[in-house]
Amino acid sequence: MTTRVWDYLSEYAKEKADILDAVGKVFDSGQLVLGESVKGFEEEFAAYHGAAHCTSVDNGTNALKLALEALGVGPGDEVVTVSNTAAPTVLAITGTGAVPVFVDVREEDFLIDTDLVEAAITPRTKVLLPVHLYGQSVDMAPLKEIAARHGLRILEDCAQAHGARHHGELVGTMGDAAAFSFYPTKVLGAYGDGGAVVTSDDEIDRTMRQLRYYGMDKVYYVVRTPGHNSRLDEVQAEILRRKLTRLDAYVAGRNAVARRYEEQLADLTGPGGLQLPATNEGNTHSYYVYVVRHPERDRIIEALKAYDISLNISYPWPCHTMTGFAHLGYETGSLPVTERLAGEIFSLPMYPSLSESEQDRVISALREVLAA
């Protein structure tokens, strides 16, 4: 039996009745687009974050892109972010016509190095876009101070950090707006695609709602500004409503898996050995993925295939090294920490329904491979 880095089937078996009831409710409602399920989910997701507004969209990439547009980002503007992220973060920026400006990450937690941010700001900088990577919050206090000094807006990329907290505050509540993805693998995942933007700024929310619906207001066929067709499906919205009530339990389950990895693998750590993820002081990690580090990463992953264990790398190619972003002009060596991590990091299986026996298989196999 293959142990995968992520699997939804055991969770679905437990939640099947509720998921299918959600589907049935929508199909019986008579309204399949922007109906009561979308409205209800938006209200409940905003309330979960203590925010005034939530605008749902069709995927996490468009959540970022439309949020940037709602913040006034356009051609020629610059957005400061990281290269150690999923490509959609950068594609959302380039999709507005703006230029991503990359800052290196910190060795200890793989998150944006806030000490380097101010040097990356130019007169064209419009937004700071911190990525709460792998389920852990960026240190937001220095970013907020920098943004205030330079008159910049902050858009949080929360695609990987649903339910994570920073000194008690939920991610998604510490900037001007926050973008979420509900891709199935996420901590709060749909049974398809989806995304949302949370904000307490009335104007950002008004613009978001206009942008996701062709650029129209309530009057159909009257385009006020060039927009998009970017709506969350009613079925996914109703499923997400049900799953939102279990979000804190999902985070707790992921933390339980993480604690067991830490307990069982602690003796393998040390200089030149396995490095386990660190949770920064004041943070509640939601462990979207459990990212470890080893200088012989590629050998380890290849060897584990013989044990029928499939692992993942998040991410083997930093965005600034991809041919699709070559026009940005970043040379090899320009982001040394990011590039070094890309050759050493890999993810162990992580999801709340991962059984102890499955986890034991991974731990045992990893021990054997590291001892070889």
Side-chain angles (χ1 to χ4, degrees), residues 11 20 30 32 42 49 55 82 87 111 128 209 212 283 291 303 327:
E11 180 181 286
L20 294 183
L32 300 177
E42 290 177 341
H49 290 89
T55 304
V82 292
L111 300 171
L128 305 182
R209 292 182 181 279
R212 71 133 177 227
N283 277 357
V291 178
H327 64 285

Side-chain angles (χ1 to χ4, degrees), residues 29-334:
S29 72
Q31 188 166 5
L32 300 177
V33 179
L34 293 183
E36 289 303 310
S37 292
V38 163
K39 181 175 182 292
F41 173 69
E42 290 177 341
E43 291 173 351
E44 290 154 16
F45 198 62
Y48 177 84
H49 290 89
H53 308 289
C54 168
T55 304
S56 61
V57 293
D58 55 344
N59 57 64
T61 308
N62 279 337
L64 285 165
K65 183 175 183 289
L66 271 63
L68 287 167
E69 292 181 359
L71 289 167
V73 173
D77 292 330
E78 292 178 350
V79 176
V80 176
T81 191
V82 292
S83 177
N84 182 37
T85 184
T89 303
V90 183
L91 289 168
I93 297 169
T94 59
T96 68
V99 178
V101 176
F102 296 125
V103 170
D104 212 348
V105 297
R106 305 196 306 187
E107 196 90 41
E108 60 270 25
D109 58 15
F110 317 153
L111 300 171
I112 190 169
D113 190 335
T114 54
D115 291 338
L116 303 177
V117 169
E118 199 145 25
I121 294 172
T122 76
R124 294 195 297 169
T125 307
K126 202 74 166 280
V127 168
L128 305 182
L129 204 170
V131 180
H132 301 304
L133 198 69
Y134 305 149
Q136 178 160 218
S137 175
V138 167
D139 184 6
M140 292 297 293
L143 280 186
K144 292 168 77 171
E145 291 173 3
I146 292 168
R149 275 199 302 274
H150 293 272
L152 305 175
R153 312 298 291 274
I154 294 177
L155 172 61
E156 297 175 70
D157 184 341
C158 301
Q160 302 185 10
H162 313 72
R165 293 178 182 269
H166 181 57
H167 296 291
E169 292 186 76
L170 279 166
V171 299
T173 63
M174 296 175 281
D176 295 282
F180 292 82
S181 167
F182 305 120
Y183 188 74
T185 61
K186 304 301 185 183
V187 180
L188 179 61
Y191 278 69
D193 234 326
V197 173
V198 168
T199 185
S200 288
D201 186 305
D202 294 346
E203 183 60 23
I204 292 173
D205 181 68
R206 185 198 67 77
T207 306
M208 277 294 309
R209 292 182 181 279
Q210 190 175 67
L211 288 172
R212 71 133 177 227
Y213 195 66
Y214 310 110
M216 299 176 185
D217 287 326
K218 294 181 179 180
V219 181
Y220 195 54
Y221 294 130
V222 179
V223 175
R224 304 296 183 186
T225 185
H228 310 268
N229 178 7
S230 180
R231 299 170 296 210
L232 180 65
D233 182 82
E234 274 286 291
V235 171
Q236 301 303 337
E238 186 61 34
I239 290 173
L240 286 166
R241 291 183 75 180
R242 312 297 179 92
K243 295 190 72 177
L244 178 58
T245 65
R246 299 187 281 270
L247 175 54
D248 291 341
Y250 295 150
V251 172
R254 288 172 179 269
N255 271 267
V257 172
R259 282 193 300 272
R260 201 156 183 275
Y261 276 137
E262 186 173 0
E263 292 166 1
Q264 299 295 320
L265 297 173
D267 62 309
L268 300 179
T269 63
L274 190 69
Q275 293 186 41
L276 304 180
T279 300
N280 295 329
E281 183 180 355
N283 277 357
T284 300
H285 209 307
S286 62
Y287 289 106
Y288 166 58
V289 283
Y290 190 86
V291 178
V292 300
R293 184 178 177 186
H294 196 283
E296 298 180 6
R297 187 268 311 281
D298 293 342
R299 177 188 72 82
I300 293 167
I301 289 181
E302 186 61 31
L304 285 172
K305 291 179 182 177
Y307 295 82
D308 213 9
I309 294 172
S310 175
L311 302 185
N312 186 45
I313 303 172
S314 299
Y315 300 94
W317 302 286
C319 292
H320 74 283
T321 68
M322 297 178 182
T323 56
F325 301 122
H327 64 285
L328 298 174
Y330 288 84
E331 298 180 356
T332 301
S334 58

